[in-house]
Structure formats: C-alpha cells, structure tokens
Amino acid sequence: MSKPRARDFPDRETIVAFIRAHPGRAGTREIAHEFGLKNADRAELKQILRDLADDGTIVKRGRKLRQPETLPPTLMADITGRDSDGELIATPTEWDEETTPAPKILIHVPRRAKPGTVAGVGDRALLRIEAMEPTESARYRARVIRVIDNTRARILGVYRALPQGGGRLVPVDKKQAGRELNIAEADSAGAKDGDLVSVELVRTRGFGLASGKVKERLGSLATEKAVSLIAIHAHDIPQAFSPAALREADAAKLVTPRGREDWRQLSLVTIDPPDAKDHDDAVHATPDDDPNNKGGAIVTVAIADVAYYVRVESALDHDALKRGNSVYFPDRVVPMLPERISNDLCSLIPGKERGALAVRMVIGPDGRKRSHTFHRILMRSAAKLNYAQVQAAIDGNPDDITGSLLEPILKPLYAAYALVKRARDERDPLDLELPERKILLKNDGTVDRVIVPDRLEAHRLIEEFMILANVAAAETLEKKELPLIYRVHDEPTVEKVHNLREFLRTLDLSFAKSGALRPELFNRVLDHVKGHDSESLVNEVVLRSQAQAEYSAENYGHFGLNLRRYAHFTSPIRRYADLIVHRALIRALGLGDGALPGSENAETLAEIAARISVTERRAMKAERETADRLIAHFLADRIGNIFEARISGVTRAGLFVKLTDTGADGLIPIRSLGTEYFKYDETRHALVGSRSGSMHKLGDVVEVRLVEAVPLAGALRFELLSGAQVGSRSLRARGGRKTKAQRGRDARHPEVQLKGHPGHKPRKTSRKPGKSKAGKPKKGKS
C-alpha cells in the first residue's frame, strides 16, 4: 500500500518553474522545503526529478538542479543595444559563437539604481542572471551588479595613408574583412601608415565607403613583433601596470624564515618548458618508509608563495584581478603580475631562498592519495630542468646536470608517477588525442615554422602531480567549510549527447542511451577508433560535445577529469583563481599573513569567478587570433599553392579546413564547391550534393588551393581540389565492397574514391604527410 502524498504535492510544471526561478540553487532539499514535503513524499519527488533529468527537462550539477543550457547566476556581459521597447540588451562577454549563438539578456533597470550600476550601450557589466519566459528579444533577465568598463563601441583597424591625404581603415576583425572605412585627413589624428588605431564610425549619406574618425593611436605595426598588439587591443587586455602596483613590486622584500618551516635541504626541482621565464612549481618524491604503506610514496608539490607579496585590496591585487591571468603570445607574454614578482621574488630559482606553500601527499601502493598536509615553507630549488632534458635522462641519456640527479631525484619521481598513473587509469578521465601546435618565430617576429611538440611522460608526470595538489587544496577548504573558487567542468548537455549519438550512428558506432554519463563512455568510443581513418574526426566531434571548463563558487565537479571537487592551486603567478585558493588555505590553516579576509563569502567569490572566467576566455581567443594572423602573414606570398588539409568545421556557409603542415584555419565558401546545390546535414557534420550525393564531412582529408590571405584579419580562403566522398554509411564505416554503380562512378571520378577501400590509390605528392601526435593541455589548463 502506497503512502499518502502531501495534500499540495507539486506537479512537474510547478517543480520545473521553481528550478527555473532558482538556477543553480535548487536541489531536492530546497524543493522539499519550499513545498512542505515530508520524508514520505521525498521518494516520489526524487523519482519525478529523475524522470525530468532523463527526458532532458533539467540537468544536475552536483546536488543542484537547473534547466539545460542555462547561464550561471553571475555573469560578465557586454551591453550591445536596445530592444523594440527601448530596454537594454546584453550578450555574454567573449562568447564563442562558432558553437552556439550568444543568448540575449534583458537588463532590468530599477527606479533607484545604486552608484556604479547605471549602464548604457557599449558598457561591460557584471550581471545577476534570472531565467525568464523566452521572448523575441531575450531569453534571460538580469540586473547590473557593477559596471566594469565604460568602453563604447569602436572599430579597430590599421591605418593606410593615401597619397592625396587622409587614408583608409583596414579592419582587423574577420567579420569585417574587406569592409574598409574612409578616414579624412582632418579626422586622422596624425596617424601614420601602419598604425593600429581605434575609430569611431561617422554617419554618412549617399554611396561609397562609410567614414570614420580616429579616436586613439594604439601603436605601429611597422615594427618587429607587433602582430600580437592587434589582439591585445581588440580584447582590451591591460598591458601597463599602474604606477602604484609597480611601486609595491619594487618595494617588496624577500621572505624571511619567520613563521615558516625550513625545507631548504629538501631537493625540490622545477620542470618546465625550456623557454619558461617563471618557475612557480617544484616537485619531489621519495618512497614511503612507513611499514603500513609498503610500496607507497611521499609526493611533495611546492608552489610559489604569491599571497605573501600580493595582499588583498593592494594595487598589485587590483591589477591582477583586472587581468585575471597571464596571456601567452608567440612573441611576448602579458603577465598577470610585474616581472619583479613573477620572474624574481616568486620564481623558484635554483640555489635561491624562496617562500612557498607546499603540500605533502602520502600515496598508497594502489596510487591513491591516502592523506595530505599543507605547509608554509622556506625552500631552495635544487635544479631548473626542462621536460625533454628529464625524459632523456630517464631514457638513458643524462646530461651534465641530470646525471647526478638521476638516482636520488628523477627515478623516485618516476616511481611515484607510476603509482599515480595506476590510479589515474582507474579513474579514467576523458582522454582526447588532440595535437597542440606551437609557432616558432624568427628574430624579426615572422613565422619560422610550426611544430607539434612531442608529448612526453615528463609532461604527464607534472600534470598528474599538479592535479593531485589541486584536489588536495579543494578537499582541505571544503573540510574547513571555507568558500572557494572551484575549477568546474559540466557534463555534456542532453542535446549535445543526442547529437553525438546520432553522428556516431552514421559510423556504425554506438553510444550508451541510459545510465550515468561518465568520461569512460566517451573513452570507449575513442579507443574503438584509435588507429583508424576516423580517429581524428571522432576526437574532434567528442571534443565539440563537451562543455567548457570555468571558475565557479558553486561546485558541480569536473567531468573531464572525473573528479568530484577540484580547484586551481598550482599557478598563482599566472592565474588569479590560484591566488584566491592560496589565501583561503592560509586563512583555513592559520599560516600567517596574506590570508583571505573574512568579508569574502560565496557571493563575492561568485563575482570574482565570473570575471576571471571571462578573462580566461579572452586570453584564449586573443592567443588563437594572434596565431591565425601570424600564419596568414606566413602564407600571404603562397597564393595559388596546394596544401593537404582536414575539414575542421562544416556550416551552411561552407567548409572550414585546417592545413596539415601549419595548422592554419581557413574557409571554403559553399558557393565554390560546384554547380549543384549542397545541403547541410547537421547529424553527419557534412555538406551533401543534391545531385551527385558527394559528401564533404568533418574530419575528411582534402586537397585545397590557397585563393586569398588577409593577414590583418588572420583570414584565409581556399578552394577544394579533391576529397569528396560518395557512398553509403555501411561502406564508410565497415570497409565493405562497392556496388557496380559506385565502381563505375569511381572510374569516371577517381578523386572521390574513399581511402582504405579496394581500388583506392593515394594521390602522389612531393610533400611529406603531416604527423598527428597526441597532445593535451599544458599543465594547469584543465
């Protein structure tokens, strides 16, 4: 006999409405409390919530519920215009519109607005988001917490002087490529040919080019190593530190032993890329001599004590928060902190005494972390090493430095890593194989070559030790019940998983329809295609199905790493999130000066998390755009050359391709594909010819000719020479025998034969085939 339910038990629609009104804050407990549900009713409530999650109506983040594809409760946004009623409309800052159109947000303006919350078109503001019934103009409602930047709309471009006076503005935005502006001499503000300038659009009547007025000269692109200036100014990345911050950095004194444990005799070493200028993490490992942990190890990770130098509400702190993180370009670094701090006082230089926050972790023989403790220490690095140098020593080729370190330091590190790797493999985090390109420059700032660095065990060792330390930090702060900024990664939405499943079906690959969504489900698919022609394609589509990692004061876990709690602790020199975690640990454990103040709560940390999530996305876009511009310059004198490429994106506008040798991205417009009509097949990520059935699909290897290069915008346009596919799903997926009609079609059109099938002969080429090596994010990017 079933138990009687509450008299006013809410229906599904009421429950969904409550979740919509409290995004990220509603869980089973909150719903039960709102509607007065007793223990007898909770089982039925949980069943309803499970049903809602199964059909995609709601999604679960940790213990909290929200509607799918909802924005976080605190968000940075740009106010872009007004709707038909004159209300302000905003869109999330640095939104990647290549994957999803930016949602519209309606700004609610109260009658009595607080100082600093009055915003206008062109402003950037921190918003408190609320879901609302979607309208033609917006999907969300928000109120302004704080106006961050009053920068009005502008056009950024390069000034090109004309012989008769005045000039033209060549926009640097890809979307505006080819749309030049006329600049009258009186409106040029003294700009010279090659200057990067900010221009205000001047309304003009009649035909011809629109006109603009130079508002600011930002620097000359005629000098060496200036391409990154475009991205720096296009994304408003601060370059100069405030005079007050520089004075604080210059006045900073080296840490003293007072209040610190003396670990100067411990042989900690730094392992970084060979061109690294700051060294903020050091590692050490030794076998555990505890008889209760036979076969285990002690792993120590020491991180530069940035919180000692960068105090809350100081000028250094204000500048660091505004930047959010360091930005890395091929020709320069825009650091989060002045060089006096990042490259000197907080860099763990060999033989120099430095302050650090260290975590000592006890690893069991199964590779699992058994316990950990945090310490504020004085240390002295034993050596500065790079990844290739360490790997060569382990592989039997030590040099003058690593020779003496091999037995006492390096081998114990690798032995501990072998244990940790065992636990990592059991955890089974998402394991995508994605090559990471690196652009090497000549002395004049132009591209020398593009490489894909080898992925070494030394990289994985540091990455796994950093992940362990980050988890330890999150666990400690949760245990002490202190608010913190988590590094979170949501699981893919129901819609994206459905699309992935439909795509895999076209390759005769299956994906589980029920049960908990875990990284191992994606890894099974990736393992299945390893070594096959479709490997790169499937890796790309699985990546696109994933959510983007971000910072949040609300913990909903890290799906990609398959961790319940995770926080960034290991790079406070270049990430503000890590500095917050350091301050929180100092406060939680009573470790002295530089602690997080008691006034910092979940709400204020949510605001900081929203701001630094934006600065991180800003840095990623700026770095990517600079690479595109450098390579477009590199290829500008190769118009007409033929390249091997892979289709990296399929849209209704055409095909995006990535060149095998340089990783350069470009567009093949759909109008250039031929005389027949091509239909966009979203499920297959393909364009399909209506008459011939020829298919251009994501991941296909193709041959293309470079038609146009616009270096300032980083834009490349290609035409397709070969690579179309014709055939059924089973043929592509299973390698089956072709039909008579298909064999005849192949005889007439040999360029459309499928790789790996009978009768296929690879096209001869003088170029060497590109190598695709496994690559993963740099340490700390998770």
Side-chain angles (χ1 to χ4, degrees):
M1 183 176 178
S2 61
K3 296 181 180 179
R5 61 158 57 180
R7 185 180 304 171
D8 297 322
F9 196 96
D11 56 21
R12 286 167 55 103
E13 290 71 23
T14 304
I15 293 173
V16 171
F18 179 77
I19 293 170
R20 183 191 302 130
H22 303 82
R25 302 193 299 276
T28 305
R29 181 187 303 173
E30 288 76 17
I31 296 171
H33 182 267
E34 172 69 16
F35 297 104
L37 304 182
K38 305 301 181 184
N39 290 339
D41 303 310
R42 292 203 176 194
E44 184 169 355
L45 173 62
K46 289 179 179 179
Q47 183 58 53
I48 291 174
L49 294 176
R50 277 194 293 269
D51 292 341
L52 289 170
D54 289 343
D55 63 24
T57 304
I58 62 173
V59 294
K60 190 174 183 181
R61 283 185 171 181
R63 296 182 179 180
K64 302 301 181 182
L65 306 164
R66 63 172 72 231
Q67 286 189 295
E69 293 288 7
T70 56
L71 296 176
T74 307
L75 179 77
M76 190 88 76
D78 292 324
I79 300 173
T80 56
R82 296 181 183 272
D83 64 7
S84 56
D85 296 325
E87 300 291 336
L88 293 171
I89 295 292
T91 57
T93 302
E94 301 291 350
W95 186 273
D96 188 357
E97 295 200 51
E98 291 183 7
T99 56
T100 311
K104 304 297 183 184
I105 306 166
L106 182 68
I107 305 295
H108 171 68
V109 181
R111 290 183 179 180
R112 295 183 178 179
K114 296 179 181 179
T117 64
V118 179
V121 176
D123 288 348
R124 178 166 294 175
L126 193 65
L127 305 179
R128 182 79 67 206
I129 302 293
E130 296 177 5
M132 60 179 257
E133 290 297 331
T135 66
E136 290 185 6
S137 59
R139 289 175 52 194
Y140 299 91
R141 180 188 298 110
R143 65 177 178 83
V144 176
I145 299 173
R146 188 179 302 111
V147 175
I148 302 298
D149 192 355
N150 292 102
T151 303
R152 300 294 171 175
R154 62 177 181 166
I155 299 174
L156 199 66
V158 176
Y159 181 79
R160 293 303 183 195
L162 297 175
Q164 65 270 28
R168 297 277 175 85
L169 180 83
V170 181
V172 298
D173 190 337
K174 278 186 181 182
K175 296 178 182 178
Q176 297 173 332
R179 301 177 185 176
E180 296 185 356
L181 294 180
N182 185 56
I183 308 291
E185 188 167 8
D187 293 331
S188 66
K192 294 181 173 56
D193 188 72
D195 278 356
L196 182 66
V197 295
S198 175
V199 170
E200 183 181 77
L201 189 65
V202 177
R203 295 184 180 275
T204 57
R205 296 180 180 179
F207 300 99
L209 296 177
S211 296
K213 182 177 182 179
V214 175
K215 302 298 292 183
E216 188 179 5
R217 295 170 59 190
L218 303 171
S220 174
L221 295 185
T223 59
E224 297 177 358
K225 302 182 179 181
V227 173
S228 55
L229 274 178
I230 298 174
I232 288 170
H233 289 290
H235 294 278
D236 294 315
I237 296 172
Q239 285 190 90
F241 289 98
S242 65
L246 292 175
R247 285 195 298 271
E248 288 180 0
D250 290 339
K253 298 290 191 296
L254 196 63
V255 299
T256 64
R258 183 182 176 186
R260 296 177 181 274
E261 298 177 42
D262 189 346
W263 285 23
R264 285 175 287 186
Q265 300 308 311
L266 187 67
S267 298
L268 289 151
V269 297
T270 62
I271 306 176
D272 293 291
D275 55 354
K277 291 184 174 63
D278 54 64
H279 309 275
D280 57 356
D281 58 89
V283 293
H284 179 270
T286 185
D288 191 358
D289 57 8
D290 186 344
N292 294 321
N293 191 33
K294 190 175 181 180
I298 305 294
V299 172
T300 300
V301 174
I303 307 298
D305 191 356
V306 178
Y308 177 83
Y309 297 101
V310 184
R311 300 299 175 89
V312 177
E313 294 299 328
S314 65
L316 280 170
D317 186 44
H318 283 294
D319 279 21
L321 176 56
K322 188 175 181 181
R323 292 164 184 245
N325 45 259
S326 297
V327 188
Y328 295 85
F329 298 105
D331 63 343
R332 72 180 74 199
V333 176
V334 180
M336 187 181 80
L337 296 167
E339 287 191 11
R340 165 74 171 150
I341 302 295
S342 59
N343 292 4
D344 184 7
L345 297 178
C346 287
S347 189
L348 307 181
I349 302 168
K352 301 288 186 179
E353 293 183 355
R354 292 291 183 263
L357 207 58
V359 55
R360 181 180 183 273
M361 297 173 285
V362 179
I363 309 299
D366 58 356
R368 298 178 184 273
K369 179 171 65 66
R370 292 190 168 188
S371 63
H372 67 266
T373 53
F374 280 91
H375 309 260
R376 208 171 194 182
I377 67 169
L378 187 67
M379 61 164 284
R380 186 187 292 121
S381 172
K384 179 182 76 171
L385 308 173
N386 65 65
Y387 294 112
Q389 181 184 25
V390 169
Q391 192 64 52
I394 289 294
D395 292 341
N397 298 298
D399 59 21
D400 293 341
I401 297 175
T402 55
S404 61
L405 304 177
L406 185 59
E407 292 297 332
I409 296 176
L410 299 184
K411 284 188 176 180
L413 280 171
Y414 272 75
Y417 166 64
L419 298 179
V420 172
K421 185 177 182 298
R422 187 182 307 165
R424 185 249 186 215
D425 292 342
E426 289 180 5
R427 194 176 82 242
D428 206 8
L430 190 62
D431 193 16
L432 289 165
E433 298 286 343
L434 299 168
E436 182 177 307
R437 65 178 176 173
K438 182 174 183 179
I439 299 174
L440 302 180
L441 302 180
K442 301 175 184 176
N443 291 333
D444 63 358
T446 59
V447 176
D448 180 19
R449 64 189 189 278
V450 181
I451 63 171
V452 177
D454 290 336
R455 177 73 176 167
L456 306 173
E457 283 297 291
H459 291 99
R460 297 185 176 93
L461 179 152
I462 292 298
E463 185 176 87
E464 290 305 315
F465 286 178
M466 297 303 121
I467 288 173
L468 276 175
N470 288 336
V471 171
E475 289 176 348
T476 295
L477 292 176
E478 278 198 352
K479 187 175 181 180
K480 294 291 185 178
E481 298 184 342
L482 254 69
L484 73 148
I485 291 179
Y486 293 92
R487 181 63 169 178
V488 291
H489 179 222
D490 207 358
E491 65 181 35
T493 63
V494 173
E495 181 183 4
K496 287 186 176 181
V497 171
H498 172 75
N499 292 340
L500 174 64
R501 187 180 291 115
E502 291 300 307
F503 165 74
L504 293 175
R505 189 175 294 162
T506 69
L507 299 177
D508 281 357
L509 295 171
S510 61
F511 191 84
K513 286 188 176 181
S514 59
L517 197 62
R518 292 185 174 277
E520 65 188 53
L521 299 177
F522 297 91
N523 288 340
R524 287 179 200 165
V525 173
L526 298 173
D527 288 340
H528 193 79
V529 298
K530 194 160 287 186
H532 294 271
D533 287 345
S534 58
E535 179 179 5
S536 178
L537 166 64
V538 173
N539 271 268
E540 183 69 31
V541 177
V542 169
L543 174 65
R544 295 182 183 206
S545 72
Q546 303 301 309
Q548 187 174 28
E550 61 184 356
Y551 295 107
S552 173
E554 170 198 349
N555 181 30
Y556 49 87
H558 198 297
F559 179 80
L561 293 175
N562 199 13
L563 293 168
R564 292 182 180 179
R565 56 191 60 82
Y566 190 66
H568 273 168
F569 158 76
T570 54
S571 290
I573 283 179
R574 61 186 180 92
R575 293 186 307 221
Y576 195 81
D578 304 55
L579 178 55
I580 291 287
V581 170
H582 274 235
R583 289 170 175 168
L585 287 167
I586 293 169
R587 172 180 161 188
L589 302 173
L591 297 178
D593 297 332
L596 192 72
S599 58
E600 297 283 11
N601 53 36
E603 186 172 340
T604 57
L605 290 184
E607 294 182 14
I608 293 173
R611 294 181 66 169
I612 61 180
S613 291
V614 167
T615 61
E616 179 188 44
R617 288 191 291 271
R618 176 180 72 183
M620 291 170 63
K621 288 183 71 174
E623 291 167 359
R624 184 174 68 238
E625 289 172 7
T626 298
D628 289 344
R629 290 188 178 100
L630 283 167
I631 293 180
H633 276 280
F634 181 57
L635 297 176
D637 60 352
R638 302 188 189 184
I639 303 297
N641 284 21
I642 296 172
F643 302 89
E644 183 186 81
R646 187 179 293 275
I647 297 177
S648 59
V650 181
T651 70
R652 290 177 174 83
L655 304 170
F656 288 93
V657 294
K658 185 182 292 289
L659 301 189
T660 302
D661 54 355
T662 62
D665 296 295
L667 174 68
I668 302 173
I670 195 169
R671 65 179 181 273
S672 70
L673 291 178
T675 57
E676 65 179 315
Y677 174 76
F678 278 86
K679 181 181 178 181
Y680 174 55
D681 187 328
E682 186 175 4
T683 299
R684 297 189 182 191
H685 296 268
L687 292 177
V688 184
S690 58
R691 186 173 64 251
S692 66
S694 62
M695 182 184 297
H696 305 291
K697 183 162 57 69
L698 185 71
D700 286 349
V701 176
V702 295
E703 199 167 61
V704 297
R705 178 185 286 116
L706 180 60
V707 176
E708 182 183 16
V710 185
L712 289 175
L716 300 171
R717 181 164 63 87
F718 296 94
E719 66 176 357
L720 187 67
L721 299 181
S722 69
Q725 293 189 5
V726 179
S728 68
R729 176 175 65 127
S730 59
L731 171 65
R732 291 193 312 277
R734 301 172 188 163
R737 190 176 298 278
K738 296 184 179 183
T739 65
K740 184 176 180 180
Q742 288 168 334
R743 289 196 299 274
R745 200 157 48 225
D746 286 346
R748 294 190 298 274
H749 304 287
E751 72 276 7
V752 299
Q753 291 189 47
L754 294 175
K755 273 191 168 185
H757 289 291
H760 171 70
K761 294 182 180 179
R763 177 182 296 269
K764 292 183 178 179
T765 175
S766 59
R767 298 184 307 279
K768 294 181 179 180
K771 295 180 179 179
S772 177
K773 296 180 180 177
K776 297 183 183 177
K778 298 174 184 176
K779 68 179 181 183
K781 289 283 187 182
S782 301

